[in-house]
């Protein structure tokens, strides 16, 4: 064989081996890109209010699938349709490229594919579950409502599976006496029954989850007679003074001539001679005025009358309305009618042209807006100066003491009022030593 033939033979062999190697390489590469044509996902879950992703299980037996993980869940309140995100990971030699919603098959509990996306070897499937509560008719059902064994006004009820609170109504016959909402499964209507007096009572309860409400479930009737009512606190409710009047001290409120003070675990109340008691109103007892709340108990401390809207002070110990004296540790003054004078006093000054001497008797008072000075005649200064215990003060148009720099509306001169006390400063450097005021308190530039 000559040299030329040998070269041709070697060239042919080289081409053959190169082609074979390329073919093999191409086969290996194609195997790494093998497509998964479809995926079967098996879904199981516990549908419940505020469910978590741990309540959902997902798996797959499809070829090429390496792992399945429940990634997240949202929309989990009652009445919502939960959305579950499942991450499916492909084996090393497979890809999900080109898969769409129709290539995903779900089995197990009821669910539907909402969205599919592919990134590398990861398939993300968004799955929609049924509305929470729709697969279980009793999810907001209260099984039973019952009165407590102690006949103390307490009521209980069975817990509903998906409820986050309950609406509870106390009924007296066909009328609603009181309505409350609670997250618990017990409530005591003792005070409301005492306020309602004798009659036939029952309780209605329904479960609530979000904006969804279950059906009402009602207890047995409980007949409240005088003996039972007495056991609940001693009040025998014939009629209350609320039905006789709706006034306050001095305007015709009910005045009992005989009766007795009673006390229980909730406070003091007054049993009238006819065994009625006052609710939501004033009552004059032994020439003193008292106020009783919606449950008939005596009120103490500050009270804003629901009728006149004026403020009164009721002795913290006895409940008696205080009159013509300083009250609340000497901070406020109430007049002969028991009214806090801030509601009825008229300011002095305000239209004057300079400083005026105020009474040397009076008291400094403070409320949420600031300090003001109550004179002995129950007036107070507005828009003017006033001399109090040898020092000058300025009060604004509402009667509150000013502090800091002030340009007098009368002389147009500048004065400096102590930031703590409001007292006009004189003959000194003020405002951190930057300015000087003379003996009249006037700033000297």
């Amino acid at each position: 064989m000559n040299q030329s033939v040998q070269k041709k033979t070697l060239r042919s062999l080289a081409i053959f081996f190169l082609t074979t190697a390329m073919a093999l390489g191409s086969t290996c590469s194609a195997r790494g890109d093998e497509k998964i044509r479809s995926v079967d996902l098996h879904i199981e879950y516990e549908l419940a209010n505020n469910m978590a992703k741990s309540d959902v299980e997902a798996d797959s037996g499809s070829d090429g699938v390496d792992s399945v993980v429940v990634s997240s869940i949202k929309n989990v309140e009652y009445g919502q349709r939960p959305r579950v995100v499942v991450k499916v990971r492909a084996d090393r030699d497979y890809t999900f490229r080109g898969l769409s919603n129709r290539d995903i098959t779900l089995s197990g509990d009821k669910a539907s594919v909402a969205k599919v996306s592919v990134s590398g070897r990861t398939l993300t499937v968004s799955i929609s579950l049924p509305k929470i509560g729709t697969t279980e008719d009793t999810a907001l059902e209260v099984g039973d409502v019952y009165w407590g064994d102690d006949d103390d006004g307490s009521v209980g009820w069975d817990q509903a599976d998906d409820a986050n609170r309950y609406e509870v109504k106390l009924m007296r016959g066909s009328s609603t006496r009181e309505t409350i909402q609670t997250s618990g499964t017990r409530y005591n209507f003792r005070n409301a029954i005492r306020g309602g007096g004798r009659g036939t009572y029952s309780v209605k309860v329904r479960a609530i989850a979000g904006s969804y409400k279950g059906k009402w479930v009602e207890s047995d009737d409980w007949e409240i007679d005088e003996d039972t009512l007495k056991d609940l606190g001693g009040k025998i409710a014939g009629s209350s003074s609320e039905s006789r009047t709706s006034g306050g001290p001095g305007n015709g409120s009910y005045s009992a001539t005989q009766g007795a003070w009673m006390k229980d675990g909730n406070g003091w109340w007054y049993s009238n001679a006819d065994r009625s008691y006052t609710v939501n109103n004033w009552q004059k007892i032994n020439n003193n005025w008292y106020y009783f709340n919606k449950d008939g108990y005596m009120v103490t401390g500050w009270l804003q009358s629901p009728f006149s809207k004026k403020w009164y002070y009721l002795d913290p110990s006895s409940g008696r309305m205080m009159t013509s004296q300083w009250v609340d540790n000497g901070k406020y003054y109430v007049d002969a009618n028991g009214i806090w004078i801030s509601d009825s006093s008229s300011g002095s000054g305000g239209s004057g042209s300079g400083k005026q001497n105020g009474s040397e008797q009076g008291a400094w008072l403070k409320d949420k807006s600031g300090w003001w000075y109550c004179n002995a005649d129950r007036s107070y200064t507005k828009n003017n100066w006033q001399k109090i215990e040898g020092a000058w003060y300025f009060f604004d148009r509402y009667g509150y003491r000013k502090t800091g720099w002030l340009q007098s509306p009368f002389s147009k001169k500048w004065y400096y009022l102590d930031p703590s006390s409001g007292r006009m400063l004189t003959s000194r450097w003020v405002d951190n030593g930057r300015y000087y005021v003379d003996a009249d308190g006037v700033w000297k530039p």
Side-chain angles (χ1 to χ4, degrees), residues 50 52 93 122 144 157-158 189 224 226 254 261 268 278 321 327 372 374 378 385 387 396 403 405 407 428 431:
N50 294 317
D93 299 329
T122 300
D144 189 21
W157 54 91
D158 294 340
F189 283 110
I224 302 296
E226 289 194 1
Y254 176 63
W261 283 101
W268 286 96
T278 299
M321 185 188 76
V327 298
W372 57 283
C374 179
R378 295 182 293 135
W385 294 93
K387 194 173 186 180
D396 66 17
T403 60
W405 284 106
Q407 187 178 28
R428 71 185 69 186
D431 198 3

Side-chain angles (χ1 to χ4, degrees), residues 83-128:
R83 184 65 63 89
V84 179
V85 175
V86 176
K87 300 282 188 180
V88 185
R89 185 73 173 170
D91 283 331
R92 180 176 180 180
D93 299 329
Y94 291 86
T95 178
F96 292 115
R97 189 171 57 250
L99 281 187
S100 64
N101 289 32
R102 61 178 178 270
D103 301 316
I104 309 299
T105 302
L106 300 181
S107 61
D109 293 335
K110 184 179 179 181
S112 60
V113 178
K115 184 180 178 182
V116 169
S117 62
V118 177
S119 176
R121 289 169 44 226
T122 300
L123 171 69
T124 301
V125 183
S126 182
I127 299 173
S128 183

Side-chain angles (χ1 to χ4, degrees), residues 7-34:
K7 289 181 178 180
K8 288 181 179 181
T9 302
L10 291 173
R11 189 180 298 113
S12 297
L13 290 172
I15 292 172
F16 170 77
F17 286 119
L18 180 59
T19 302
T20 301
M22 291 177 64
L24 290 173
S26 176
T27 301
C28 293
S29 176
R31 186 180 177 190
D33 291 334
E34 184 174 345

Side-chain angles (χ1 to χ4, degrees), residues 21 57 64 104 123 137 142 189 191-192 227 238 247-248 254 262 273 290 292 306 326 331-332 348 422:
E57 295 182 359
I104 309 299
L123 171 69
D137 293 337
V142 176
F189 283 110
N191 288 340
D227 289 337
Y254 176 63
M262 312 289 288
Y290 300 85
F292 298 89
W326 292 93
K331 294 184 292 184
Y332 306 98
S348 63

Side-chain angles (χ1 to χ4, degrees), residues 38 71 123 237 339-340 352:
S38 64
S71 175
L123 171 69
I339 300 171
W340 175 39

Side-chain angles (χ1 to χ4, degrees), residues 146-190:
Y146 45 88
W147 291 104
D149 295 332
D150 297 330
D151 289 344
D152 61 352
S154 64
V155 64
W157 54 91
D158 294 340
Q159 183 174 349
D161 292 339
D162 290 344
N164 50 39
R165 66 186 190 279
Y166 301 89
E167 185 175 5
V168 187
K169 287 185 177 182
L170 175 67
M171 309 297 297
R172 185 176 183 270
S174 59
S175 301
T176 301
R177 179 69 186 174
E178 184 174 351
T179 302
I180 63 100
Q181 287 196 8
T182 177
S183 59
T185 56
R186 291 190 67 84
Y187 192 79
N188 195 306
F189 283 110
R190 177 171 178 265

Side-chain angles (χ1 to χ4, degrees), residues 308-333:
S308 67
K309 305 304 179 185
K310 295 180 179 180
W311 286 94
Y312 299 82
Y313 190 75
L314 311 178
D315 185 77
S317 300
S318 68
R320 176 174 57 90
M321 185 188 76
M322 310 297 285
T323 60
S324 302
Q325 60 188 287
W326 292 93
V327 298
D328 198 3
N329 295 317
K331 294 184 292 184
Y332 306 98
Y333 190 86

